[in-house]
């Protein structure tokens, strides 16, 4: 990754940053920076000034202190899997990559906590504690790559967050470098609640605009005694949607309750982890229950009964762990699988009240017809977190713009149903304008005022989350067309 034993040559900023991290841990040549022009949202691109790779909190603090004194904007970056463009520069920012800060610092089984550095990859935490019968609950589908620092910034969710909660429900303490370089501790190990404002809750999900997380204490959970996984095939998407609400309303909270529609099934079956779903299905549900073994059987029977009442074509229980893992691999690689049926795709992320599923899915279908673009739906149905995947071909004139407009329409449909414009991927660059679907100008201003308490000069990740009056849409357009944007 890094060129060994090289001598950095650059302007005063590059030389100063190199003095902090060492010559081998800074990238500043254009050819090296290209990989950092975007994150998982590849529609927008901007060239950073440099990327630095600190090893310690003190180095992060020195970098931040130097940059803020020079009035140079900067962005924290984990694995760069974000889907709303949170780690994308507009041009000229310094990216502070946390990937070298990837140690598991401490595991405390007695208090059920782990302390990790921000660059620690999500799945590695569960892998590191599995031999003791423990796991880390938030499981984004990108968990094999994304970092826990990035998860904290985005308040990441995952398939099993329906029952166990999203990242914010598992963060117990943070060490944070503030935008002036100060190092602060938030939260207290071992103490579940403390007086005063919930700063942990505020920082978690702040999309890297309030501070750079350099150490995290998270809750770890004991593996459930047992788990069972059900696959239910439906001929009508409405039946699958009603079954979702019915399952919850009979009093079951499954560990996971996921849905895929016909187009999504076509994609996952054409990609690397097919399981042999029938090609003519309208929708499928992947449902997992866990807990005490005796209770699981009853819940499974009840779920099967609910699905039958909703005209399920076939419902089956995974016969062993291998089959369960196969079903999950098929689901968790679902976004990437769209590459098997479309040259490009845009992942959207909205939330709706669960009971509005049939209505909103019908609206998304209308948006698909109107835009002339196919839309696949793979999502966390149990918590109403939709992921419409808009399939398009960027090489075809006007399709990118149509895909973006269709994505925005999907979010409008979510907002109009009483939901929200993001469930877990954040606002980033992508959904700034759509913030207006759910917040008034006053509410947006109140939130930027809160950001200013932590980030008074807006040097940390500027231009993200909040629309700036009338300029936001233009900036997005300038980035798509690779013109130099102006950041307000
Ligand atoms: C195939 C695929 C599937 C996905 N599935 C899910 C899913 O199921 N659930 C889900 O929630 N997300 C999902 N995502 C989105 C993404 O993986 C998550 O948002 C993840 O939390 C990002 O982590 P990262 O390390 O890649 O962060 P990055 O993309 O590097 O950064 C994301 C944001 O966090 C900030 N940031 C990063 N590190 C820090 C830090 N240490 N301190 C402060 N700010 C920081 C960045 O500035 C940026 O704003 C998926 C993405 C892909 C590509």
């Amino acid at each position: 990754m890094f060129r060994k034993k090289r001598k950095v040559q650059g302007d005063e900023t590059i030389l100063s940053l190199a003095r902090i991290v060492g010559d081998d841990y800074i990238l500043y040549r254009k050819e090296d920076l290209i990989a950092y022009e975007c994150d998982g949202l590849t529609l927008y691109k901007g060239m950073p000034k440099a990327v630095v790779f600190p090893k310690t909190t003190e180095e992060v603090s020195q970098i931040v202190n130097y940059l803020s004194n020079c009035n140079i904007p900067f962005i924290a970056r984990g694995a760069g899997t974000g889907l709303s463009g949170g780690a994308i520069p507009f041009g000229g920012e310094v990216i502070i990559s946390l990937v070298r800060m990837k140690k598991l610092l401490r595991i405390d089984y007695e208090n059920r906590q782990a302390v990790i550095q921000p660059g620690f990859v999500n799945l590695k935490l569960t892998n590191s504690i599995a031999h003791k019968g423990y796991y880390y609950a938030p499981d984004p589908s990108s968990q094999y790559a994304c970092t826990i620092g990035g998860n904290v910034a985005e308040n990441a969710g995952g398939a099993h967050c329906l029952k166990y909660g999203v990242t914010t429900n598992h963060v117990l303490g943070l060490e944070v470098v503030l935008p002036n370089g100060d190092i602060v501790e938030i939260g207290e190990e071992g103490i579940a609640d403390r007086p005063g404002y919930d700063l942990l809750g505020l920082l978690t999900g702040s999309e890297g605009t309030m501070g750079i997380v350099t150490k995290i204490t998270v809750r770890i959970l004991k593996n459930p005694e047992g788990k069972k996984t059900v696959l239910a095939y439906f001929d009508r998407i409405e039946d699958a949607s009603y079954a979702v609400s019915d399952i919850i309303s009979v009093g079951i909270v499954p560990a996971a309750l996921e849905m895929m529609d016909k187009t999504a099934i076509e994609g996952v079956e054409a990609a690397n982890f097919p399981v042999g779903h029938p090609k003519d299905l309208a929708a499928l549900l992947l449902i997992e229950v866990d807990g005490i073994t005796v209770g699981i059987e009853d819940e499974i029977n009840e779920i099967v009964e609910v699905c039958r009442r909703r005209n399920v074509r076939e419902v089956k229980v995974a016969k062993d762990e291998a089959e369960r893992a196969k079903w999950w691999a098929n689901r968790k690689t679902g976004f990437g699988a769209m590459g098997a049926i479309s040259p490009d795709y845009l992942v959207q992320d909205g939330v709706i009240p669960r009971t509005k599923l049939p209505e909103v899915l019908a609206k998304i279908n209308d948006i698909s017809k109107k835009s002339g673009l196919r839309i696949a739906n793979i999502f966390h149905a149990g918590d109403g977190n939709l992921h419409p995947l808009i399939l398009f071909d960027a090489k075809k004139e006007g399709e990118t713009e149509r895909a973006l407009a269709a994505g925005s329409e999907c979010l409008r449909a979510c907002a109009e149903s009483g939901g929200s414009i993001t469930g877990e991927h954040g606002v980033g660059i992508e959904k700034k304008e759509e913030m207006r679907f759910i917040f008034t100008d006053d509410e947006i201003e109140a939130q930027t005022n809160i950001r200013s308490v932590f980030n008074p000069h807006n040097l940390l990740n500027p231009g993200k989350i909040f629309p700036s009056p009338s300029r936001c849409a233009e900036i997005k357009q300038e980035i798509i067309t690779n013109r130099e944007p102006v950041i307000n």
Side-chain angles (χ1 to χ4, degrees):
M1 176 180 187
F2 306 103
R3 297 198 179 110
K4 285 285 167 202
K5 303 214 186 318
R6 56 182 200 153
K7 181 109 188 82
V8 166
Q9 292 170 330
D11 63 18
E12 185 47 38
T13 304
I14 303 293
L15 294 176
S16 300
L17 292 171
R19 275 194 288 277
I20 298 169
V21 288
D23 282 6
D24 288 333
Y25 299 107
I26 178 165
L27 301 175
Y28 58 94
R29 294 194 180 96
K30 194 169 176 202
E31 63 270 27
D32 293 330
L33 296 177
I34 285 170
Y36 297 89
E37 278 185 322
C38 68
D39 54 16
L41 178 71
T42 54
L43 279 176
Y44 307 108
K45 290 193 171 74
M47 185 59 83
K49 177 175 177 61
V51 185
V52 282
F53 299 86
K55 183 80 177 152
T56 63
T57 301
E58 287 66 33
E59 284 185 6
V60 175
S61 163
Q62 284 174 44
I63 293 164
V64 166
N65 189 271
Y66 171 79
L67 292 171
S68 72
N69 283 336
C70 299
N71 216 24
I72 297 171
F74 44 96
I75 304 174
R77 181 174 167 118
T81 65
L83 289 170
S84 57
I88 301 181
F90 286 93
E93 296 96 325
V94 170
I95 291 182
I96 302 172
S97 167
L98 283 311
V99 292
R100 287 178 70 221
M101 294 178 65
K102 56 177 181 187
K103 280 196 197 132
L104 173 52
L105 298 171
R106 193 157 54 81
I107 308 172
D108 173 355
Y109 291 108
E110 260 184 4
N111 288 304
R112 301 197 173 187
Q113 297 179 358
V115 184
I116 61 252
Q117 288 188 312
F120 200 74
V121 168
N122 176 302
L123 187 59
K124 278 181 83 175
L125 182 50
T126 289
N127 289 346
S128 308
I129 54 183
H131 65 287
K132 292 271 194 182
Y134 283 82
Y135 74 111
Y136 176 59
D139 62 337
S141 302
S142 52
Q143 66 183 145
Y144 51 85
C146 65
T147 67
I148 297 191
N151 294 169
V152 171
E154 297 290 0
N155 190 16
H160 291 81
C161 291
L162 171 61
K163 182 169 180 181
Y164 294 101
V166 293
T167 302
T168 193
N169 305 110
H170 299 266
V171 175
L172 300 170
L174 294 175
E175 177 189 79
V176 179
V177 174
L178 296 176
N180 64 357
D182 285 356
I183 303 168
V184 295
E185 297 268 352
I186 300 172
E188 235 163 285
E189 287 179 30
I191 297 189
D193 201 3
R194 59 202 309 255
Y197 292 121
D198 177 12
L199 296 181
L200 271 184
L202 186 59
L203 266 287
T204 307
S206 61
E207 300 193 29
T209 63
M210 289 185 173
I212 299 185
V213 173
T214 47
K215 194 170 75 179
I216 307 146
T217 305
V218 292
R219 196 189 302 284
I220 54 173
L221 302 182
K222 194 91 178 100
N223 284 337
E225 191 183 293
K227 60 176 85 153
K228 286 222 159 153
T229 311
V230 173
L231 199 49
Y233 294 146
F234 291 86
D235 293 313
R236 281 169 25 99
I237 196 154
E238 295 80 6
D239 285 331
S241 306
Y242 286 123
V244 170
S245 294
D246 289 356
I247 289 167
I248 307 281
S249 66
V250 295
I252 299 171
V253 182
L257 177 38
E258 302 284 294
M259 183 159 159
M260 289 195 227
D261 72 0
K262 187 174 175 48
T263 310
I265 294 166
E266 182 190 329
V268 294
E269 287 302 300
N272 293 337
F273 297 93
V275 301
H277 302 310
K279 288 209 165 66
D280 59 341
L281 290 177
L284 67 76
L285 295 179
L286 180 61
I287 311 155
E288 190 156 279
V289 290
D290 66 10
I292 302 164
T293 318
V294 278
I296 291 177
E297 278 306 327
D298 291 345
E299 289 192 342
I300 289 289
N301 292 337
E302 213 164 344
I303 286 169
V304 169
E305 203 36 55
V306 166
C307 291
R308 289 206 175 115
R309 282 201 298 271
R310 289 292 178 187
N311 311 310
V312 71
R313 181 198 295 187
E314 186 187 349
V315 56
K316 53 186 176 184
V317 181
K319 58 181 180 302
D320 52 26
E321 179 52 33
E323 187 164 53
R324 175 185 170 269
K326 199 172 166 185
W327 292 355
W328 274 113
N330 178 270
R331 160 62 187 92
K332 288 211 170 189
T333 53
F335 291 178
M338 294 307 114
I341 57 168
S342 175
D344 299 284
Y345 60 93
L346 176 68
V347 183
Q348 264 309 350
D349 168 44
V351 184
I352 59 167
R354 203 169 27 234
T355 47
K356 298 279 176 71
L357 260 177
E359 180 185 319
V360 177
L361 288 176
K363 276 194 186 173
I364 291 175
N365 194 30
D366 291 344
I367 294 165
S368 167
K369 282 188 188 139
K370 205 174 102 196
S371 65
L373 300 172
R374 299 175 79 198
I375 302 182
N377 290 287
I378 304 184
F379 58 101
H380 311 309
D383 32 30
N385 185 186
L386 298 184
H387 290 316
L389 297 142
I390 298 137
L391 312 186
F392 69 104
D393 184 350
K395 290 202 194 78
K396 290 195 183 147
E397 172 121 22
E399 278 211 1
T400 304
E401 288 71 16
R402 263 172 33 229
L404 286 167
S408 185
E409 281 309 304
C410 290
L411 296 182
R412 189 187 291 279
C414 293
E416 284 173 357
S417 77
S420 168
I421 59 159
T422 174
E424 53 185 19
H425 296 170
V427 179
I429 291 179
E430 190 200 17
K431 305 189 199 83
K432 292 180 4 163
E433 267 309 301
E434 286 75 13
M435 287 286 272
R436 296 188 196 282
F437 294 168
I438 48 174
F439 294 116
T440 63
D441 285 351
D442 286 349
E443 288 165 341
I444 289 172
E445 193 187 333
Q447 293 182 73
T448 56
N449 288 342
I450 295 171
R451 179 188 63 192
S452 298
V453 173
F454 293 83
N455 187 9
H457 307 296
N458 200 13
L459 285 172
L460 176 56
N461 217 358
K464 305 289 165 63
I465 308 180
F466 303 107
S468 43
S470 74
R471 280 287 298 142
C472 170
E474 290 161 38
I475 287 179
K476 277 166 79 168
Q477 190 55 40
E478 283 160 6
I479 293 181
I480 293 170
T481 52
N482 281 329
R483 274 185 280 132
E484 193 73 5
V486 181
I487 308 170
N488 288 320

